[in-house]
Amino acid sequence: MPIIFGFLSLRIGRYQVDLLVQFKILLSHVFEVEQTWSQMEETVVMNIRLPRILLAMLIGCYIT
């Protein structure tokens, strides 16, 4: 369940990034994927949203 909410929370933010683009950005750091997104979209997903989600999950695990 936390994984589902983690992926859903990637959608929340001021700058809209398409869900398919978000998955491509995440996969591009594991597999070789052709870049069809802007540098701004990658920055938003990898440097702002993903760290925020991971930190919230870690804090939630520690408190529970």
Side-chain angles (χ1 to χ4, degrees):
M1 196 60 121
I3 302 295
I4 293 170
F5 286 122
F7 280 117
L8 289 176
S9 63
L10 279 173
R11 302 276 304 153
I12 299 171
R14 174 179 248 186
Y15 189 74
Q16 294 294 324
V17 180
D18 186 45
L19 187 61
L20 182 60
V21 171
Q22 291 176 1
F23 284 125
K24 286 182 179 180
I25 291 170
L26 293 173
L27 286 176
S28 72
H29 290 275
V30 179
F31 302 107
E32 188 171 330
V33 178
E34 181 182 349
Q35 185 171 353
T36 57
W37 55 87
S38 69
Q39 186 63 37
M40 177 63 94
E41 290 172 323
E42 184 169 1
T43 300
V44 167
V45 172
M46 296 306 294
N47 295 342
I48 297 171
R49 293 185 185 169
L50 189 61
R52 178 187 66 193
I53 292 165
L54 293 176
L55 185 61
M57 288 179 156
L58 287 173
I59 290 171
C61 290
Y62 179 73
I63 292 174
T64 314

